Amino acid sequence: MPDMPESQVDAAVAGHEDPLHGRKLNIGIISPYSFETPGGVQFHIRDFAKELMARGHRVEVLAPGRRTSGMPLWVQTNDSSFSIHYNGSVAQLSYFGVVGLRTRRWVRQGHFDILHLHEPEAPSLSHKPLTMKRHPPMVGTFHAAFNAYPRALRFFEPHLRRYLGPLSEAICVSPAALATAEHYLPEHVATHVIPNGIKRDFFADADADPRWTGTESSPTIGFLGRMGDERKGFKVFAQAAKHILHTYPRARFLCAGDGEADGRRILSKADPSGQLARHCELLGRISDEEKARFYRSLSVYVAPQTGGESFGIVLAEAMAASCPVVASDLDAFRAVAANGDAAALFENGVGEDCARSVCEVLADSSLRERLRSRGSQRSRQYDWASVADRVLEVYARALS
């Protein structure tokens, strides 16, 4: 959905038309990554499936790995996965042995009206149905974006163009993801840029948590992500925090996510005196409900990611909670931030520039209010009510 005034966005979200004209589908979705560990693609699949089921569609999801407690019954696993370094992180994929046979059997037994493959270019489950002679219409969603396009992918481009030929339609979650996928998508496959979705009201209606609420003299500045994953930028956040303390000596830095030991190591390296660590609170992994209250409570949320981001889901969530956002100027973040209109941007990887931007936001109440308002308005474009409509339009095209 292009940028539009808030009133028009409201109308588009509230008054959506059903692209399938009342038809209820049996939908199969295949994840390339295990649901045993959290990740952006898994959350995207989970929330989209819930939105589809709320609209009366039947949904089954197949993912690598094992079942864990609390995993929805509509998620099925193949009890097989392996770890691989992919796009700067570690992914749990499944590819070898009888994986292909089991995946294709799952597709046949599901009798799906449509099959939705996430990251079908990756060596995992989503890759396997593409060799089937008989299959339902297949839609692929491409999430990956790279700072530098990998040589390995360049080598496999001719193979991928042939292999991805059975796709009826392709979805890229951002212009950055499209720039990557264009290298290997077949020319005949229609491509659509449709962002990830968020449950906007879930974040907008959250209550602030007094433990995390900042004041003018003691602001709370938040980080959310895996602290040991270099792409998530905790090192940049720590460098910025050290500079912010010069201006706001009573600032509190609230750090949520896995990797507390890595976080303490990075803080100690950034400031061996230990002063910085005394101002940082490592919260560990937080629940979805806590995350919404986290965003709602902060004086500023910082997204210091350094690369490998195809979409700024954390920006969209924080903006939905009316939290002022400061983010690195990655292409994906710049798109969600409307080039700095809905979130303040700083030079990627530069802690001092991050600190400068945070301090500007903290010092200027009118700027904070503008970011709250513009961010909240911008987040409406990423609500599942709107995003799901656009994906269902792609389904309708594939079915026709």
Side-chain angles (χ1 to χ4, degrees):
M1 184 185 295
D3 294 349
M4 58 179 68
E6 185 168 0
S7 60
Q8 293 182 28
V9 173
D10 280 335
V13 170
H16 60 81
E17 296 182 5
D18 181 6
L20 299 168
H21 306 291
R23 180 182 176 185
K24 303 304 178 187
L25 300 179
N26 180 19
I27 302 166
I29 301 177
I30 300 184
S31 169
Y33 308 129
S34 171
F35 272 59
E36 295 173 79
T37 54
V41 174
Q42 298 94 311
F43 289 146
H44 173 96
I45 291 170
R46 179 199 66 184
D47 292 340
F48 179 52
K50 288 180 178 179
E51 177 70 21
L52 291 173
M53 288 185 283
R55 297 182 182 211
H57 301 285
R58 180 176 178 271
V59 180
E60 292 183 43
V61 173
L62 179 66
R66 301 166 297 174
R67 288 200 62 80
T68 58
S69 61
M71 191 177 291
L73 292 177
W74 40 266
V75 175
Q76 301 174 39
T77 62
N78 72 345
D79 299 316
S80 170
S81 67
F82 64 93
S83 299
I84 186 173
H85 286 274
Y86 181 70
N87 195 14
S89 185
V90 178
Q92 294 288 331
L93 310 178
S94 185
Y95 189 75
F96 301 106
V98 297
V99 167
L101 291 173
R102 293 182 64 180
T103 302
R104 291 185 284 270
R105 184 187 309 132
W106 180 84
V107 173
R108 286 192 296 269
Q109 292 176 344
H111 301 289
F112 300 115
D113 297 310
I114 200 155
L115 188 63
H116 194 153
L117 310 176
H118 285 261
E119 300 280 48
E121 82 285 8
S124 194
L125 300 189
S126 303
H127 206 61
K128 300 300 187 179
L130 293 164
T131 61
M132 297 177 71
K133 292 183 179 179
R134 292 186 178 183
H135 56 78
M138 293 192 290
V139 172
T141 287
F142 296 83
H143 298 262
F146 300 92
N147 291 2
Y149 188 71
R151 287 184 180 180
L153 271 179
R154 198 175 302 279
F155 177 79
F156 283 107
E157 281 176 12
H159 165 74
L160 286 173
R161 284 196 198 96
R162 292 192 301 271
Y163 210 88
L164 296 171
L167 291 177
S168 298
E169 306 280 331
I171 296 169
C172 296
V173 300
S174 67
L178 174 61
T180 296
E182 280 180 330
H183 285 273
Y184 43 75
L185 270 172
E187 291 185 3
H188 71 271
V189 178
T191 307
H192 316 265
V193 176
I194 302 176
N196 288 336
I198 61 169
K199 296 179 285 186
R200 184 182 181 277
D201 289 347
F202 177 77
F203 295 99
D205 297 340
D207 294 321
D209 189 317
R211 296 174 299 167
W212 301 331
T213 302
T215 65
E216 289 288 334
S217 62
S218 181
T220 50
I221 300 150
F223 168 91
L224 174 65
R226 295 185 297 275
M227 295 175 214
D229 185 339
E230 189 171 350
R231 300 177 313 157
K232 300 305 178 183
F234 187 70
K235 180 179 178 182
V236 177
F237 181 81
Q239 292 168 347
K242 185 177 178 180
H243 290 285
I244 292 167
L245 284 174
H246 296 316
T247 306
Y248 291 91
R250 295 177 58 193
R252 297 166 58 205
F253 301 94
L254 308 179
C255 312
D258 292 336
E260 293 176 64
D262 292 314
R264 283 190 287 269
R265 175 181 53 78
I266 292 169
L267 291 172
S268 177
K269 190 171 182 179
D271 180 17
S273 73
Q275 181 184 5
L276 176 59
R278 288 192 289 272
H279 286 265
C280 292
E281 300 171 35
L282 305 185
L283 307 178
R285 187 183 298 184
I286 57 178
S287 68
D288 288 345
E289 291 74 16
E290 289 172 322
K291 180 169 66 171
R293 295 197 297 272
F294 178 74
Y295 290 134
R296 193 73 173 173
S297 307
L298 296 172
S299 305
V300 176
Y301 175 72
V302 177
Q305 283 84 336
T306 60
E309 299 289 334
S310 62
F311 181 75
I313 191 72
V314 289
L315 274 67
E317 292 174 345
M319 292 190 301
S322 297
C323 179
V325 174
V326 170
S328 58
D329 60 356
L330 298 173
D331 288 344
F333 286 3
R334 185 177 288 277
V336 175
N339 289 316
D341 183 64
L345 300 171
F346 68 90
E347 185 179 352
N348 180 22
V350 182
E352 289 186 23
D353 198 45
C354 176
R356 175 200 57 77
S357 187
V358 170
C359 289
E360 283 183 0
V361 172
L362 291 174
D364 189 338
S365 59
S366 62
L367 174 58
R368 287 199 306 276
E369 289 309 308
R370 181 175 69 81
L371 291 176
R372 291 184 198 277
S373 175
R374 299 283 178 84
S376 176
Q377 177 179 335
R378 181 75 172 170
S379 71
R380 295 175 185 273
Q381 300 188 32
Y382 306 114
D383 187 74
W384 273 119
S386 175
V387 172
D389 280 351
R390 297 177 63 189
V391 177
L392 289 174
E393 288 173 3
V394 174
Y395 285 5
R397 287 174 56 102
L399 289 165
S400 67

